[in-house]
Amino acid sequence: MTERLPLKHLALAALVVATGLTACSKKAEPAPATVAAPAAPAKPAPLKAAFVYVGPVGDAGYTYAHDLGRKEAAAKLGDKVETTFVEKVAEGPDAERVIRDLATQGNKIIFATSFGFGDSMVKVAKDFPDVHFEHATGFKTSENMRVYEPRIHEVAYFAGIVAGRMTKTNTLGFVGSFPIPEVLRNIDAFTLGAQSVNPKVKTRVVWVGSWFDPPKETEAAQALLNKGADVLLQNTDSTAVLQAAEKAGKYAFGWDSDMSAFAPKAHLGSCVLLWGVYYEKALNDVLDKTWKTGATKWGYREGMTDFIKIPDFVPADAKKKVEEVKAGLKAGTFEIFKAPVVDNTGKVRLRKGEVASDKWLGDVNFYVKGVEGKVPSGK
Ligand code: GUN
């Protein structure tokens, strides 16, 4: 009597034969389609980061520099981040609305890139505790809001060295935006740099009450040129001052970005801000979960500022002096604001042996000796 194998035994036998055959043939067959491969770990969603700009990205100056920094950091971090920006945002209520929208849209880090965005950011930061808020050139911080800025006065000092050497009238001109400590520091550093090579130098200032207003910037530059200034610097965002100097056959500098192409004859060098190093760090802080509140102030030493493209016609001694100061800043042996610092009313601001602290720099509300006029009341 032949015993009939039940169906399930037959199936098992077939499987054994099949397995044996496979083992003998030593051919690695692909896993049967029905066997699920171990699931690849899900790729984390990119970190959403947003930038708020006060000017247009095409300003060729301050906002353009921030946007270069954003792109640089995004390129380094690849698909780990997704960045966006909103440009031409006025300081004031509009800024709060824009920052709030960006937080609501799922951005986990928001950079507000102008001083006047500070109060708006403080308000929004309170309502979004899991979002990281970053304010450029500001001073207000909280658990989830921090500040960052380049030591721009260093590059203003470099421009001063070249300006002091190039002026024929011993009169420099400065187009100011708002009389806040950051801008006053730049006027003072420019003047101190110039006086380091030419003690007779004086600086005249015209304020425009705006960061970006090319017609007003042009008008201010013209007023300074009319009053005898023959080398200009600005703490405004456009190329207007440099272009006004070019038209008048005088000299000026690029500010925030490389502006050499806008005035081939007038351009004496560009004071540039390199925001990308900071943006990469800040984004990495969030990605690594190491983000902490605080204040970052980086300068030439950390690669966040530079003074570039001094033309060949600038005398070698001025270029050498710039290189010496750069080396001193790199080594940490040179200070822009060190005693004696005396203001233009004769008051001593840094006494023998004193060097400016960050607190001192953040409180500058005076013109150094050599700058003409009175500081207008603050912003
Ligand atoms: N342009 C627009 N906003 C700012 C700012 O906060 N600081 C400087 N230096 N320039 C600006």
Side-chain angles (χ1 to χ4, degrees):
M1 220 175 106
T2 49
E3 217 174 87
R4 293 189 65 191
L5 285 171
L7 252 182
K8 72 172 180 190
H9 288 184
L10 277 175
L12 188 63
L15 186 66
V16 170
V17 171
T19 314
L21 280 176
T22 308
C24 289
S25 72
K26 290 196 175 156
K27 264 196 199 149
E29 290 288 341
T34 49
V35 177
K43 211 166 163 196
L47 169 67
K48 285 183 77 178
F51 293 72
V52 183
Y53 299 146
V54 73
V57 283
D59 69 356
Y62 186 79
T63 293
Y64 178 69
H66 278 284
D67 204 50
L68 276 185
R70 174 187 69 84
K71 287 187 199 152
E72 208 179 281
K76 289 245 172 83
L77 295 170
D79 58 8
K80 288 194 257 176
V81 297
E82 186 185 302
T83 69
T84 51
F85 67 84
V86 185
E87 61 181 334
K88 295 190 256 183
V89 178
E91 293 173 340
D94 215 27
E96 184 183 337
R97 181 187 55 75
V98 170
I99 298 168
R100 193 172 292 284
D101 278 357
L102 291 168
T104 309
Q105 286 159 19
N107 288 289
K108 289 294 168 223
I109 180 163
I110 301 174
F111 299 92
T113 64
S114 189
F115 178 79
F117 291 150
D119 290 341
S120 303
M121 188 163 247
V122 165
K123 284 188 203 156
V124 183
K126 277 194 193 119
D127 297 337
F128 293 86
D130 65 333
V131 176
H132 307 85
F133 291 87
E134 302 254 1
H135 181 212
T137 79
F139 58 93
K140 291 182 181 170
T141 62
S142 66
E143 189 108 321
N144 62 332
M145 175 168 165
R146 69 185 185 185
V147 292
Y148 62 104
E149 70 179 295
R151 295 186 187 276
I152 315 181
H153 56 275
E154 293 174 353
V155 279
Y157 189 90
F158 294 139
I161 293 170
V162 175
R165 187 67 174 80
M166 294 300 290
T167 179
K168 293 194 180 72
T169 60
N170 291 330
T171 306
L172 310 183
F174 196 103
V175 176
S177 43
F178 300 100
I180 57 175
E182 178 194 352
V183 178
L184 294 166
R185 272 197 315 268
N186 294 335
I187 295 169
D188 289 345
F190 179 56
T191 305
L192 291 175
Q195 288 170 343
S196 75
V197 297
N198 178 354
K200 292 193 198 128
V201 158
K202 300 249 175 296
T203 304
R204 291 187 167 151
V205 185
V206 172
W207 295 96
V208 293
S210 175
W211 292 114
F212 179 78
D213 188 336
K216 266 198 193 166
E217 293 169 59
T218 303
E219 228 173 80
Q222 201 52 58
L224 289 163
L225 293 166
N226 293 346
K227 282 194 248 166
D230 60 352
V231 186
L232 308 182
L233 181 64
Q234 67 281 0
N235 197 156
T236 47
D237 299 353
S238 86
T239 57
V241 173
L242 179 57
Q243 287 175 298
E246 176 92 356
K247 217 165 147 196
K250 306 293 184 201
Y251 294 119
F253 297 88
W255 184 252
D256 298 317
S257 289
D258 176 0
M259 295 184 175
S260 55
F262 290 86
K265 289 195 282 234
H267 179 264
L268 292 179
S270 275
C271 303
V272 297
L273 304 182
L274 306 164
W275 299 94
V277 275
Y278 182 76
Y279 289 142
E280 187 186 350
K281 175 215 162 10
L283 293 168
N284 268 325
D285 286 349
V286 179
L287 289 166
D288 302 344
K289 303 192 176 6
T290 53
W291 194 99
K292 278 201 310 274
T293 190
T296 300
K297 292 164 199 270
W298 284 350
Y300 179 73
R301 187 179 184 166
E302 293 84 4
M304 204 170 173
T305 66
D306 204 355
F307 183 64
I308 61 167
K309 300 209 178 161
I310 308 177
D312 289 344
F313 60 79
V314 169
D317 56 345
K319 288 190 197 151
K320 186 162 169 264
K321 176 103 185 172
V322 168
E323 288 312 313
E324 282 167 9
V325 175
K326 281 187 174 183
L329 289 172
K330 249 265 127 99
T333 53
F334 187 86
E335 293 288 340
I336 307 284
F337 290 101
K338 58 181 176 297
V341 171
V342 179
D343 73 19
N344 72 352
T345 69
K347 187 169 167 189
V348 178
R349 298 291 184 150
L350 284 176
R351 299 190 175 282
K352 202 164 179 248
E354 283 182 332
V355 168
S357 63
D358 281 346
K359 160 96 180 70
W360 187 95
L361 291 170
D363 289 341
V364 168
N365 60 356
F366 60 87
Y367 289 146
V368 290
K369 189 166 168 232
V371 183
E372 294 184 346
K374 267 175 93 168
V375 175
S377 54
K379 195 183 175 193

